[in-house]
Amino acid sequence: MSYASVVDVLTGKHPVGTTVTVRGWVRTRRDSKAGISFINLHDGSCFDALQAVVANTLSNYSSEVQKLTTGCAVAITGEVAASQGQGQSFELQASDLQVYGWVEDPDTYPMAPKRHSMEYLREYAHLRPRTNITGAVMRVRNCLAQAVHRFFHEHGYLWVSTPIITASDCEGAGEMFRVSTLDLMNLPHKDDGSIDFSQDFFGKEAYLTVSGQLNAETYACALSKVYTFGPTFRAENSNTSRHLSEFWMVEPEVAFADLDQVAGLAEAMLKYVFKAVMEERADDLAFFNQRIDNTVLERLQKMVSSDFVHMDYTDAIDILQNCGEQFEYPVSWGVDLQSEHERYLAEKHVGGPVILKNYPRDIKAFYMRQNDDGKTVAAMDVLAPGIGEIIGGSAREERLDVLDKRLDEMQLPKAEYQWYRDLRRYGTVPHAGFGLGFERLVAYVTGVQNIRDVIPFPRTPKNASY
Amino acid sequence: MSYASVVDVLTGKHPVGTTVTVRGWVRTRRDSKAGISFINLHDGSCFDALQAVVANTLSNYSSEVQKLTTGCAVAITGEVAASQGQGQSFELQASDLQVYGWVEDPDTYPMAPKRHSMEYLREYAHLRPRTNITGAVMRVRNCLAQAVHRFFHEHGYLWVSTPIITASDCEGAGEMFRVSTLDLMNLPHKDDGSIDFSQDFFGKEAYLTVSGQLNAETYACALSKVYTFGPTFRAENSNTSRHLSEFWMVEPEVAFADLDQVAGLAEAMLKYVFKAVMEERADDLAFFNQRIDNTVLERLQKMVSSDFVHMDYTDAIDILQNCGEQFEYPVSWGVDLQSEHERYLAEKHVGGPVILKNYPRDIKAFYMRQNDDGKTVAAMDVLAPGIGEIIGGSAREERLDVLDKRLDEMQLPKAEYQWYRDLRRYGTVPHAGFGLGFERLVAYVTGVQNIRDVIPFPRTPKNASY
C-alpha cells in the first residue's frame, strides 16, 4: 500500500488495479439507494476532487461513512479504477476508510458547502484555503512565483533580499509604518521635547520599506543583474480593491541596460510567467474562466502572442485628447494618467499590451534618468487590457551632477543619499529596472476582482488579524 | 558585435575568434613594459574576472586605459582568444575600450584593492558586493534560495506568503517589533490612561512576525503541502555572530506527516540544496575553502553522503553525561542543549549530522505534539558538524483537548488562538513541519563566521542603515 495524491491518481500515475491510500478532506458525500456512497476528496494538489466509491460492505459504513460531512479529514484506501462517470478518468474503489478528524457541529461549520461571498470568505482567512476558489488562487499564485524565480535564474539574475526594516525613506514620498520597541507609556524625550530615537532599538527612526529598488541598485552596480522578490509596505489609508498595506514586489535591476532593454525584459518576463501558468495550471484557469471572468484565458493568450506596442507619453496624450472619448479626468500634457486613460489606450486604441514611455519629469521620482529634451524622464509603464498599469520602471539617473541637481530641486537631503550617490562616484554605469506588484499580477491572471483575495492574509486599514 | 558576460567567455560559450563586448568593473590593471596592459574585468556572473589584453595601439591608451583603477566601469570589445597565462582558458584581445564611469579619487575609494576586514566591509554595505568575498557569498546565497524553491516545487509544495505584520503574538514568547503609524508626540489615550490602539492603523496593536508557522498550518490543513520563505524578526538585544533582527526563514508544513517524515524531509532538502551549490557554485566554494574555511567542501560532501543519525534526546543526555567531556554548561535530563553539547554529539560522538528527537515538553512551545510518555514532545533538531543546530521542527498537536489543556497550563489566552483551534475543530489532521534559518544555512555553506556578512543589509541592534 502506498500513499498517493489526488493529482497523481487523476492523471493516471497509478495504473488501474493498483491499491493506494489517498488522504484529504471531504468536499461532498452522496449516498445512493443501492448502499453506495460517493465521496469527493480534495487534498489541494489540483483543482478537481477525487471520487471514491464506498460500499456498505465496509465495517464502519453506517457508523462513520454515512456521517461524513464537508471538511472531514479521511484516509481512503482502495483500488484505482476507470471512472464510469463523466469528467474524470479515474476513481477509487474503496476498501477501507479511516477518519482523522470530524467537523464539530457541521451545521455551523463556516465552510459548509454553499456559495459564499468573497467578503464572507475574507472573514475566515484561516479556513478559506479549503474552498475551490481560494485553493485555485493559491495554486496559481505559487505557479507564478515559481515562474518568476525560474525566469530570472535562467537569465543569470541573482535574487537579492533587500532590507524590510530601513532607516532611510529614500523615495522621499510614501507613507510608512514606524518600527519601534519604545515603550509608548514611557517615551524617552530629548531636551527640546522631541522623542529621543537614539534610545530606540535601531538607534534612530526606522520604518518598513516601500521598495527595495535603491538597495537593489547597489547590488546591480556590482553584480550586474539582480532582482528582489519580497514584501513591501504602504501606510496609506486606501480602502480599495487594488491596495494592500503589505504586498509582494518583484524588482529587477539591470546594469548597462537602458529603458528599451528593461521594457523588453518586462515583456519577456510577463510572457514567460503567463505561459507557465497556462501550461501548469490549466485546471484552475478553466475554473476562473468559467466562474469568475470569462475573458481570463483569452487575455492571457493575447498577452503571450502579442508584440507589446511601444508608445511615447506625448503621443498618448495626443491620442487621448483627440479620440472623442469622455473621460472623468481631463487629459493634458503633464498630467499623470488615470486608470481610465490607461485602459482606453490598451483596450480600445491598441487592443493589446502597451508600453508607455518618457513621462514628464515633474510627475516622476528623483532617481529617474532625464532625457535630453529637459522635460521628460526615461520612465515606462506597462499597460495591460483589463487592468491598466501592471509594471512601472525607468532608467536610473547615473550621472552624479544631474542627480545632485535633481535632489536639490526637489529639496531632498543629499546627506541622506550619500550611499546612493556613491554608486555614481565610483564606477557609475547606466542601469534600469522595474517593479511588478505581485498581487496585481495574481489578480490579473485569475480575474479575481479584489486584491485582498489573492494573498493569504491581507493587511489593510483596521485589519491585521491572524 | 554582441554583448557577453564574463562567465560565458570563460566557459567557452563564445568560440575563439569571435568578437564580443564585455561590460563590467576593473578589478586590477597591470602594465607591461612592452606597452600592453592586462585588465581584469568582473561583472558578478562568476567568481573569476576576465583578463583583457589591451595594447597601446588603442587611441585612448594613454589618455584613458593607463588611468584605469579598481572599480572603474568599462566596456571592452575584442576577440576571444586562448589564454596564454595560467588558470584561465580564454581571454580577450581588446580592440576597443570605452569608459562608463571613473572612480572619483582612487586613493580614498573605500573598496581599493587591499585586504579589508569583514568589519570594515560591513561599514560599506552598499559597496561590498564589489569585493570577491561578498560577491561569492551572494551568488551562493542566490543558488541556495533557488534550490530551496526548486526542491519544494518539484515535491508538490506550494509557496505560501504568510503575513509580515501581525496582530497576534502566537508563539507567546519572543520580543517583537511594534508596527504603528501613531504620532508619538500626540498619542491617543483611553480613559484609563492606556494607549488607545483602536486609533492606530490596524485598529489594534500590531507587530512584525517572528514565524510564519501558525499561519502556514492553516494552509497545510487545506492544501496539504506548503512552505514559507520570507523575512522574520526578533527584537532581541543580541549582539552575536549568530543573530540578526531581520532574517529569512524557510518553513515547510506538511499535513498527514509525523515527526520522522519531516525529519526525512529536512534531510532530503539539505542534501538537495548542498548538491545544487556544489554543482552550480564550484568556483565560489573553492574560494571559500581556500581562503575562509578549509573544511567547507569536506563537510558539504559529508552531509550529502551521510545518512543522518536519529537519536532520542534522552539517549543524548546519557551520552553527554558519560562521555567524560568537560562542558561549560552541565547536562541533565530536562535542560535545553547548548551549542557545545550539540557540536559534541555531531562532531565527536557521531562524526556526522544528527537528528535529535523527543525533547522534554517543558522546554518546548505549546503547539508541539505530546508523546504518550507524558513528558516529552515530538520535536526535533537537526545538528550539523561545525555549526550545531541548523533546523528545528516538530509534529503539531492536532488533538483539540490536548492542545487546550496545554494552552491552559501555559496560561495562554485561548480566545487569541481561536482560529488556530478551529483547525482542530474542523477536520483536524496529524501534521508536522520545521524551520530553517536561511542565513545560518548560507553561513554554514560558505564558512563565513558572522551571519551579518551573508545578508545584503544586516539589521542588528543600533543598525538599520541603508
Side-chain angles (χ1 to χ4, degrees):
Chain A
M1 186 205 73
S2 70
Y3 293 113
S5 63
V6 168
V7 68
D8 282 355
V9 175
L10 289 180
T11 56
K13 295 256 164 63
H14 302 275
V16 167
T18 320
T19 296
V20 296
T21 298
V22 182
R23 298 169 296 187
W25 293 266
V26 173
R27 181 139 275 151
T28 57
R29 191 196 89 235
R30 181 169 58 82
D31 300 335
S32 83
K33 287 174 188 157
I36 293 175
S37 292
F38 300 92
I39 292 175
N40 275 307
L41 192 69
H42 69 95
D43 68 357
S45 61
C46 59
F47 183 81
D48 286 318
L50 172 68
Q51 175 164 286
V53 183
V54 189
N56 61 5
T57 48
L58 263 60
S59 61
N60 60 343
Y61 185 76
S62 59
S63 63
E64 296 196 317
V65 175
Q66 288 199 300
K67 292 175 181 164
L68 290 171
T69 58
T70 297
C72 289
V74 295
I76 305 181
T77 302
E79 219 176 74
V80 176
S83 179
Q84 309 300 315
Q86 280 193 315
Q88 297 198 335
S89 307
F90 302 98
E91 63 185 19
L92 209 59
Q93 297 286 347
S95 52
D96 185 70
L97 186 151
Q98 302 290 333
V99 179
Y100 286 113
W102 295 97
V103 165
E104 181 188 302
D105 189 8
D107 290 341
T108 62
Y109 178 46
M111 297 293 113
K114 56 181 172 186
R115 192 117 188 200
H116 302 292
S117 73
M118 297 308 281
E119 292 74 19
Y120 174 87
L121 292 179
R122 229 173 277 148
E123 297 295 309
Y124 295 92
H126 62 308
L127 298 175
R128 67 177 179 169
R130 301 170 177 211
T131 64
N132 272 330
I133 187 167
T134 305
V137 165
M138 295 307 159
R139 277 186 300 274
V140 165
R141 183 182 167 99
N142 171 68
C143 173
L144 290 168
Q146 301 286 349
V148 164
H149 282 300
R150 217 160 53 228
F151 172 81
F152 285 114
H153 188 52
E154 288 173 2
H155 290 80
Y157 287 72
L158 301 176
W159 172 70
V160 169
S161 53
T162 47
I164 311 302
I165 300 172
T166 177
S168 64
D169 169 13
C170 276
E171 297 243 2
E175 292 174 76
M176 300 174 88
F177 290 104
R178 180 188 303 284
V179 175
S180 171
T181 57
L182 290 178
D183 177 359
L184 297 187
M185 292 301 285
N186 192 16
L187 288 170
H189 289 274
K190 292 195 287 193
D191 289 343
D192 64 2
S194 63
I195 307 291
D196 183 5
F197 287 105
S198 73
Q199 297 188 40
D200 205 349
F201 190 91
F202 293 110
K204 49 186 164 178
E205 290 188 81
Y207 301 93
L208 291 178
T209 186
V210 297
S211 160
Q213 179 203 316
L214 304 198
N215 295 284
E217 284 187 54
T218 69
Y219 270 65
C221 291
L223 303 170
S224 301
K225 299 199 287 186
V226 303
Y227 72 106
T228 74
F229 188 173
T232 53
F233 305 86
R234 296 290 149 78
E236 285 159 27
N237 201 5
S238 300
N239 263 305
T240 84
S241 62
R242 282 172 60 85
H243 290 88
L244 289 168
S245 307
E246 171 182 316
F247 57 101
W248 288 67
M249 285 254 278
V250 177
E251 297 178 289
E253 192 68 35
V254 199
F256 312 107
D258 63 18
L259 186 66
D260 280 340
Q261 282 159 345
V262 291
L265 181 71
E267 178 173 346
M269 184 203 69
L270 287 175
K271 287 179 172 174
Y272 183 99
V273 303
F274 291 154
K275 266 184 209 159
V277 77
M278 286 191 289
E279 279 169 26
E280 298 169 26
R281 296 269 43 110
D283 58 345
D284 296 315
L285 289 182
F287 165 77
F288 292 119
N289 204 65
Q290 194 186 354
R291 297 283 287 275
I292 305 299
D293 178 344
N294 64 12
T295 68
V296 157
L297 285 175
E298 186 194 328
R299 70 190 191 199
L300 288 182
Q301 194 54 60
K302 177 131 201 171
M303 290 288 277
V304 166
S305 59
S306 304
D307 287 327
F308 288 25
V309 170
H310 287 226
M311 184 188 289
D312 247 47
Y313 168 89
T314 302
D315 295 333
I317 295 295
D318 275 351
I319 289 163
L320 292 167
Q321 283 179 324
N322 297 312
C323 68
E325 199 89 2
Q326 279 297 87
F327 294 113
E328 189 184 347
Y329 294 89
V331 171
S332 62
W333 200 97
V335 303
D336 214 354
L337 296 184
Q338 301 293 322
S339 184
E340 57 174 341
H341 310 132
E342 294 172 343
R343 295 186 61 165
Y344 175 84
L345 291 168
E347 289 163 21
K348 298 204 180 150
H349 185 78
V350 170
V354 183
I355 301 186
L356 267 197
K357 302 188 300 190
N358 301 316
Y359 283 78
R361 67 171 211 159
D362 290 340
I363 58 171
K364 290 294 182 181
F366 76 91
Y367 52 70
M368 295 191 178
R369 192 180 197 282
Q370 293 193 47
N371 290 325
D372 292 340
D373 63 15
K375 55 181 190 174
T376 62
V377 288
M380 66 151 187
D381 280 350
V382 180
L383 314 181
I387 188 169
E389 186 205 326
I390 191 163
I391 279 175
S394 79
R396 319 309 188 185
E397 186 53 77
E398 87 279 11
R399 297 161 297 186
L400 183 62
D401 54 340
V402 185
L403 179 69
D404 277 351
K405 190 152 169 278
R406 195 73 188 126
L407 287 170
D408 287 341
E409 282 168 358
M410 295 176 77
Q411 299 186 290
L412 293 165
K414 231 180 270 174
E416 285 289 305
Y417 294 90
Q418 197 53 47
W419 59 274
Y420 191 72
R421 295 177 67 251
D422 274 359
L423 304 180
R424 281 74 182 165
R425 295 169 65 206
Y426 302 128
T428 192
V429 294
H431 60 290
F434 65 79
L436 165 73
F438 186 62
E439 280 73 23
R440 289 194 183 174
L441 180 73
V442 182
Y444 184 70
V445 168
T446 57
V448 167
Q449 287 294 311
N450 195 315
I451 206 170
R452 299 173 194 205
D453 301 322
V454 301
I455 189 168
F457 297 92
R459 270 71 183 98
T460 53
K462 303 296 173 203
N463 178 32
S465 299
Y466 307 101
Chain B
M1 186 205 71
S2 71
Y3 293 113
S5 62
V6 168
V7 67
D8 282 355
V9 175
L10 289 181
T11 55
K13 294 258 165 62
H14 302 275
V16 167
T18 320
T19 297
V20 298
T21 298
V22 182
R23 298 169 296 188
W25 293 267
V26 173
R27 182 138 274 151
T28 57
R29 191 196 90 235
R30 182 169 58 82
D31 300 334
S32 83
K33 288 175 185 153
I36 292 175
S37 292
F38 299 92
I39 291 175
N40 274 307
L41 192 68
H42 70 96
D43 69 355
S45 61
C46 58
F47 183 82
D48 287 318
L50 172 68
Q51 175 165 284
V53 183
V54 189
N56 61 6
T57 48
L58 263 61
S59 62
N60 60 343
Y61 185 76
S62 58
S63 64
E64 296 196 318
V65 175
Q66 288 198 299
K67 292 176 181 162
L68 289 172
T69 57
T70 298
C72 288
V74 296
I76 305 180
T77 302
E79 218 175 76
V80 176
S83 178
Q84 307 301 313
Q86 280 192 314
Q88 295 198 335
S89 307
F90 302 98
E91 62 184 22
L92 209 59
Q93 297 285 349
S95 52
D96 185 70
L97 185 151
Q98 301 290 333
V99 179
Y100 286 114
W102 296 97
V103 165
E104 180 187 301
D105 189 9
D107 291 341
T108 62
Y109 178 46
M111 297 293 113
K114 56 180 172 186
R115 192 115 186 201
H116 301 292
S117 72
M118 298 307 280
E119 291 74 20
Y120 174 87
L121 292 179
R122 229 173 277 148
E123 296 295 309
Y124 294 93
H126 61 307
L127 299 176
R128 67 177 179 169
R130 302 171 178 210
T131 63
N132 272 330
I133 187 165
T134 305
V137 165
M138 295 308 159
R139 278 186 299 274
V140 165
R141 183 181 167 100
N142 170 68
C143 172
L144 290 168
Q146 301 287 348
V148 164
H149 282 301
R150 217 161 51 228
F151 172 81
F152 285 113
H153 189 51
E154 288 173 2
H155 290 81
Y157 287 73
L158 302 176
W159 173 70
V160 168
S161 54
T162 47
I164 311 301
I165 300 171
T166 177
S168 64
D169 169 14
C170 277
E171 297 243 4
E175 294 175 74
M176 299 175 89
F177 290 105
R178 179 188 303 286
V179 175
S180 171
T181 56
L182 289 178
D183 177 1
L184 298 187
M185 292 301 286
N186 192 15
L187 288 170
H189 290 273
K190 291 196 287 194
D191 289 344
D192 65 3
S194 63
I195 307 291
D196 183 5
F197 287 106
S198 74
Q199 296 189 41
D200 204 349
F201 190 90
F202 294 110
K204 50 186 165 178
E205 291 189 81
Y207 300 94
L208 291 179
T209 185
V210 296
S211 161
Q213 178 203 316
L214 304 198
N215 295 284
E217 283 186 54
T218 68
Y219 270 65
C221 292
L223 303 169
S224 300
K225 299 199 287 185
V226 303
Y227 72 106
T228 74
F229 188 174
T232 53
F233 305 85
R234 297 289 149 81
E236 286 159 26
N237 200 5
S238 299
N239 263 304
T240 84
S241 62
R242 281 171 61 83
H243 289 89
L244 289 167
S245 306
E246 171 182 314
F247 58 100
W248 288 66
M249 285 254 278
V250 177
E251 297 178 290
E253 192 69 34
V254 199
F256 311 108
D258 62 18
L259 186 66
D260 280 340
Q261 282 159 345
V262 289
L265 181 70
E267 178 174 346
M269 184 203 69
L270 286 175
K271 286 179 172 173
Y272 183 99
V273 303
F274 291 154
K275 267 184 208 158
V277 78
M278 286 192 289
E279 279 169 27
E280 297 170 28
R281 295 269 46 109
D283 58 345
D284 296 315
L285 288 183
F287 166 78
F288 291 119
N289 204 64
Q290 194 185 356
R291 296 285 286 278
I292 305 300
D293 178 344
N294 64 13
T295 67
V296 156
L297 285 175
E298 185 193 329
R299 72 191 190 197
L300 288 181
Q301 194 54 59
K302 178 129 200 169
M303 289 288 278
V304 166
S305 58
S306 305
D307 286 327
F308 288 25
V309 170
H310 287 226
M311 185 188 289
D312 247 46
Y313 167 89
T314 301
D315 296 332
I317 295 295
D318 275 350
I319 290 164
L320 292 167
Q321 283 178 323
N322 297 310
C323 68
E325 197 89 2
Q326 279 296 89
F327 294 115
E328 189 184 348
Y329 294 89
V331 172
S332 63
W333 200 96
V335 303
D336 214 354
L337 296 185
Q338 301 293 322
S339 185
E340 56 175 342
H341 310 131
E342 294 172 344
R343 294 186 61 165
Y344 175 83
L345 291 168
E347 290 163 21
K348 298 203 181 153
H349 184 79
V350 170
V354 182
I355 302 185
L356 268 196
K357 303 189 298 191
N358 301 316
Y359 283 78
R361 67 171 210 160
D362 290 340
I363 58 171
K364 291 292 182 182
F366 77 90
Y367 52 72
M368 296 192 179
R369 192 180 197 279
Q370 292 193 48
N371 291 325
D372 292 341
D373 62 14
K375 56 181 190 174
T376 62
V377 288
M380 67 153 186
D381 280 351
V382 180
L383 313 181
I387 190 170
E389 186 205 326
I390 191 163
I391 280 175
S394 79
R396 320 307 189 185
E397 186 54 76
E398 88 279 11
R399 297 161 296 186
L400 183 62
D401 54 340
V402 184
L403 179 69
D404 278 350
K405 191 153 168 276
R406 195 73 188 126
L407 287 170
D408 287 340
E409 282 167 357
M410 296 177 76
Q411 299 185 290
L412 292 165
K414 232 179 271 176
E416 286 288 306
Y417 294 90
Q418 197 53 47
W419 59 273
Y420 190 71
R421 295 178 68 251
D422 275 358
L423 304 180
R424 282 75 182 163
R425 295 170 65 207
Y426 303 127
T428 191
V429 293
H431 60 291
F434 65 79
L436 166 72
F438 185 62
E439 280 73 23
R440 289 193 183 174
L441 180 73
V442 182
Y444 184 71
V445 167
T446 57
V448 167
Q449 287 293 312
N450 195 315
I451 206 168
R452 299 175 194 204
D453 301 322
V454 301
I455 189 168
F457 298 92
R459 270 71 182 99
T460 52
K462 301 296 173 204
N463 178 30
S465 299
Y466 307 101

